Amino acid sequence: MKTFLEEVNERIGGVPIQRCYHCRKCTAGCPLAFAMEYNPNRVIKMIQMGMKDEVLNSSTIWLCASCETCITRCPNEVDIARMMDVLREMAIREGRTVKEKNILAFHQAFLNSIRSRGRINEPFMMVDYKLKSGDLFSDMGLGINMFMKGKLALISPKTRDLGAVKTIFEKTRNL
Amino acid sequence: MKVSYYPGCSLHGTAKEYDQSVKAVSKALGIELSEVEDWSCCGATSAHSTNFKLSVALPARNLAAVEAGPQKEVMVPCAACFNRFKSTQYYLGHNEALKREIEGVIGRPYRGDAEVLHPLGIFHDRVGLEGLASRVVKKLTGLKPVSYYGCLLLRPPEACRFEDYENPYMLDGILTALGAEVKMWSYKTDCCGGSLTISRTDIVGRLVDKLMTMAREAGANCVVTACPVCMANLDTRAGENVRLPVFYFTELMALAFGLAGPADWFKLHNTDPTPLMGGLGLV
């Protein structure tokens, strides 16, 4: 059976994360580190130590905003941003309890909009998100303001060949 | 010059002033845009955060459409779409097996030879700063912007291959050519929090407030961006005591070129730029 480290490295498909020598450049440059449970370089160490539950159940993997500052500055080219994607993907596949539920709810609402229309329709996506997250009332004023300015179009053109988009979702579901 | 045009979802919705201003400026500069045939969403952050193969297949479908079209160069104004297109080309260009697999997923050939361009690069490199300056009929005198790139145009540099990823300069050059007094600051490439704006508004508010505070400290009276996500966050999430007007760079180009549109576009902003622009005699 593969170790957690081997599994993560295989999915990243790049530089093995154990090349990290903890210079902490990633953490120093990370704009979200202040809000994270574990700093990015600490996550690498935890993966090496086999702390799968702690990592996959953490808020850290969801709070990463994919700004890619870490990989840009890493002297050893450890792709931490891609590592965070891999960890999120693993957490979803394993049906883990997601600590930042609303962040995942947003991603799901976003992808639902693509699946059903080929493109994002912002008002419909937001309604879907609100139903998923239960966060019904935030941004109401802003939304109404944008609607009044004509920035939220209830009717927006869809991709004509919706079948092609749906096929992409079907074929990548279990890859 | 003729190029394909991929607006992406934002430019047909909350970033419609970006779409309209890109088109107006392109037309004025003699750049003919033809929309990518039956395009679909690039998948943005939500696809790559949850499903890697989906995140390369969605852009690949659009890149294949560009490759099959008349123009192999495609203008992509949205920084998020630009990033996903460039990343997809990078991943598929370095992994033949993945490329073949994705061709199977999208059900059409993908060659990887579409040239993905951002309007900043086209205006800066193809038209050139002198060419832009010669078009200016209304100098943006008194406007003191800081240029804000955010993340997605520049990082990761191996994929984006755009410009200096720690100290980019194109936007500064363009704004200077328009007659603005660009302020230097160290936050050009810092993150605004991106898609967390809906699910963790508190965090984005904190990041945006820091950006606005630093812009003010640099002596700026506005912030200029080339990304719809940055625009949305900076324009709507800043605290009342620190907020500054935010512009798409193309809105200011149109204004300086004397084109129709800017006054209407400014009405779409959440932070009203008209007191600043009116005070400077620019609208």
Side-chain angles (χ1 to χ4, degrees), chain A residues 67 118 122 139 149 151 160, chain B residues 14 37-38 155 237 269:
Chain A
C67 75
E122 287 148 336
D139 286 333
K149 289 179 176 184
K151 287 192 104 176
R160 285 194 310 279
Chain B
T14 46
E37 177 61 22
D38 200 33
R155 295 190 292 265
R237 300 304 190 196
H269 295 201

Side-chain angles (χ1 to χ4, degrees), chain A residues 149 151, chain B residues 11 13-26 28-29 77 118-120 123 136-140 143 145 171 174-175 178 180 222-228 230-232 234-235 244-274 276-277 282-283:
Chain A
K149 289 179 176 184
K151 287 192 104 176
Chain B
L11 274 75
T14 46
K16 70 183 199 183
E17 65 269 42
Y18 193 20
D19 182 57
Q20 290 170 10
S21 57
V22 165
K23 284 177 174 164
V25 169
S26 296
L29 294 172
H118 190 269
L120 260 184
F123 300 154
V136 173
V137 296
K138 187 192 278 182
K139 280 191 153 211
L140 303 184
L143 203 66
L171 192 46
I174 291 174
L175 294 170
L178 304 179
C222 63
V223 180
V224 179
T225 183
C227 170
C230 299
M231 178 70 178
L234 292 168
D235 189 38
L244 287 170
V246 190
F247 299 99
Y248 290 110
F249 73 107
T250 42
E251 293 179 297
L252 296 179
M253 289 178 78
L255 181 67
F257 293 172
L259 307 177
D264 292 332
W265 302 329
F266 296 163
K267 285 182 195 148
L268 298 174
H269 295 201
N270 186 57
T271 304
D272 184 8
T274 45
L276 169 70
M277 301 308 257
L282 292 171
V283 285

